[in-house]
Structures are given as structure tokens and as C-alpha cells.
Amino acid sequence: MKVVLITGASSGLGAEFARQLDKEVSGIDEFWLVARRKERMEELAQELTHPARIFANDVRNRSLYECLEWQLNEECADIKILVNNAGCGFNGFVTEQSSEKLIDVLDINCTAMTAITTLCIPFMKRGAHIIHMASSAAYLPQPGFAAYAASKSYVLNFSRALGEELRSRGIYVTAVCPGPVETEFLKKSGAEKSSYGLKKYVRMEAKDVVAEAIRGAKRKQTVVTPGLAMKGFRLLTKVVPHEVILKVMRKL
Ligand SMILES: NC(=O)c1ccc[n+]([C@@H]2O[C@H](COP(=O)([O-])OP(=O)(O)OC[C@H]3O[C@@H](n4cnc5c(N)ncnc54)[C@H](OP(=O)(O)O)[C@@H]3O)[C@@H](O)[C@H]2O)c1
């Protein structure tokens, strides 16, 4: 059975990946959708032309990994596209946040993403693709969003290294690094109130971010930075020392 597997499919970018890939892909038997909000995924499944299988579970739960692995084996699954998109972040200084919240960010964005990726690779063949949802926050340490930005640096660098490791097997890995996107994330993370969220002029729509991500993945790009503003930001973080950028940001 040929499968597209998407985590964080109940809203925002994950749901948009499902909608756009549903139209783009051919020869796929099922879309497998993972997130906690079952009803949201059931509604999304109604919109899709492909049959969808719903895994309503927390990406941190071992029971999810066991269930996925069992069903992948049972169906002799061939994962054509894995979109590792589930993620969260909480705005605020490290000293003002509970350690539970900070650890949640690492568990969801890094540990669960790593667990799901390694679980899926044995079910991938030449030509398969992994898309990791990182963030442009990965490009620079972000005071006020420290754990989130650091977690996305992990996603970005893990993704780039994994892409090199899998290249000879013909499995391609793309990290997507958007700036602020109009999704529930901005509100849930509190980023709407921060400088990250306030930059209204750089905010993108989920459909545009996903379209650019899919175009980049098709071109086998290792990193996709959607939008001109964030491409400029990426360049800046490559040529100007981070200490200088952080000093300017502090003054602003
Ligand atoms: N929006 C932005 O500004 C922005 C910018 C750069 C990168 N990103 C990244 O893009 C990805 C998608 O975010 P979004 O903007 O689409 O926000 P969103 O609408 O809040 O979507 C987050 C998705 O992750 C799922 N999720 C979160 N925690 C989970 C858990 N413990 N177990 C299972 N699923 C979980 C959520 O599903 P349930 O709540 O139903 O479980 C939801 O489907 C994230 O990795 C985020 O870091 C977002």
C-alpha cells in the first residue's frame, strides 16, 4: 500500500499539506493523518479525494509508534511522502516559563519527530520524500522564543544531515523554514504579541508556504525558505555575525 503520512494534520500547515498533496500526488492508496484532534481530521478526510486513515494520538506516545509500526507492517506499506509537521512553541523568557512547557517543546518538535522519522525510514524506497517542518527561527538564537528556535535548529540540522545519509538510497529530505504563518500557532504560542508575530508584513498564508514547500521538495531542495522576506533573513544570518544581529534586535 502506497502511503502519504502527515503529522500535525488537524490544522494549519499540516491540513494544508494534506489538501495540496491530495491534488498533486498520483498512485497513492491512502493518506495517514496524525494529531490529537480526531474530529478535525475526520472533517479534513471528507475533503480529500484519497481515503484517509486517522491516528488520533499524541506524537509523544509510545502507543502511537507501536500502532503506526504495526499498521505499516500489516499493510506492507510503502511510504512515498512523510511530512513531519506536528509542532508547538511558547513565547516568553526561559526564566518565566515552567520547565514542563520547555520540555514539551523539545519532546514534540525534536524527540517525537526523530522517533517518527526513524520508524518510517524502513518503509521507504528509492524516490520517497521526507519533509520536515522547521522554521526560520532555526537560523538565529531567539531571546523570548529560545527553546522553540533551538528546537527548530535541531530539526533543520537533523534534516540536512539525514538528507546526506539517505542520498545514496534515493530518499530525499527537505526542511521547510517559514517565518510567521497565519495559523493557530501564532495565537497558541503567544507569538502574535511578540516581535516574531508582530511583523505583519512578513506573515504568509499557509497555502503559499505549503505550495512553495512542495515545489522545493519536488526539486529535491534540502532547505526551503518560503517568501522573499525570510530568504533575506536567512542571507543576513549567514553573512552578519549573530552577536551583531542580536545587539541590533535588542536596541529595536
Ligand atoms: N505558524 C507559524 O508561524 C509557523 C512558522 C514556522 C514554522 N511553523 C511550524 O509549522 C508546524 C505546523 O504549525 P502550524 O503553524 O500549522 O500550527 P497549528 O495549526 O497549531 O498546527 C500544529 C499541529 O501540530 C499538532 N500537534 C501539536 N502538538 C501535538 C502533539 N503533542 N501530538 C500530536 N500532534 C500535535 C496539532 O494537532 P493537535 O493539537 O490536534 O494534536 C496541529 O495539527 C509546526 O511544527 C510549527 O512549529 C509554524
Side-chain angles (χ1 to χ4, degrees):
M1 173 185 284
K2 294 187 173 53
V3 169
V4 170
L5 197 162
I6 303 172
T7 72
S10 60
S11 62
L13 292 161
E16 191 57 32
F17 265 109
R19 286 188 198 100
Q20 293 195 24
L21 287 173
D22 181 53
K23 294 194 186 92
E24 286 265 342
V25 294
S26 58
I28 295 294
D29 297 301
E30 277 190 12
F31 273 52
W32 289 14
L33 310 175
V34 180
R36 289 165 299 185
R37 287 170 294 174
K38 191 175 176 205
E39 312 72 46
R40 291 283 201 98
M41 291 186 286
E42 283 170 348
E43 281 166 30
L44 174 65
Q46 298 295 319
E47 285 179 47
L48 304 180
T49 57
H50 290 86
R53 196 176 294 204
I54 290 167
F55 296 81
N57 206 336
D58 192 307
V59 287
R60 290 167 290 184
N61 283 346
R62 182 156 290 277
S63 61
L64 170 69
Y65 311 149
E66 285 166 359
C67 176
L68 275 176
E69 199 158 24
W70 189 81
Q71 299 207 28
L72 286 164
N73 274 312
E74 193 69 5
E75 303 288 1
C76 296
D78 173 5
I79 303 176
K80 291 293 178 196
I81 304 173
L82 165 66
V83 184
N84 249 319
N85 163 80
C88 73
F90 302 105
N91 196 244
F93 291 122
V94 171
T95 48
E96 291 164 2
Q97 289 191 15
S98 67
S99 60
E100 284 83 5
K101 266 191 160 181
L102 295 168
I103 290 164
D104 275 352
V105 172
L106 305 186
D107 283 349
I108 294 167
N109 296 1
C110 304
T111 311
M113 181 277 291
T114 308
I116 291 171
T117 303
T118 50
L119 186 155
C120 289
I121 291 170
F123 298 92
M124 295 181 138
K125 294 185 180 138
R126 188 163 282 278
H129 217 116
I130 302 173
I131 299 175
H132 282 135
M133 189 50 68
S135 165
S136 56
Y139 297 143
L140 185 75
Q142 300 225 342
F145 220 6
Y148 178 76
S151 76
K152 292 300 185 181
S153 297
Y154 172 85
V155 177
L156 173 60
N157 286 316
F158 176 79
S159 187
R160 292 174 67 194
L162 182 69
E164 283 304 310
E165 290 182 14
L166 295 179
R167 189 171 289 272
S168 60
R169 287 171 60 178
I171 300 173
Y172 298 97
V173 187
T174 299
V176 185
C177 298
V181 189
E182 291 288 356
T183 68
E184 294 173 14
F185 175 85
L186 288 181
K187 201 168 189 174
K188 284 191 280 196
S189 64
E192 207 144 36
K193 287 178 245 145
S194 75
S195 57
Y196 180 78
L198 272 175
K199 293 171 190 141
K200 285 200 172 132
Y201 55 94
V202 299
R203 278 197 204 173
M204 289 184 73
E205 296 293 330
K207 64 175 174 33
D208 299 322
V209 170
V210 170
E212 199 167 333
I214 294 173
R215 271 199 305 277
K218 276 188 184 164
R219 289 198 289 257
K220 303 184 177 119
Q221 272 176 243
T222 51
V223 182
V224 174
T225 309
L228 259 184
M230 287 303 125
K231 285 183 182 66
F233 176 65
R234 185 185 184 200
L235 184 66
L236 183 81
T237 61
K238 279 185 166 188
V239 296
V240 180
H242 288 182
E243 281 66 29
V244 174
I245 303 175
L246 289 171
K247 199 170 173 185
V248 172
M249 281 168 72
R250 211 178 302 142
K251 291 229 158 75
L252 289 175

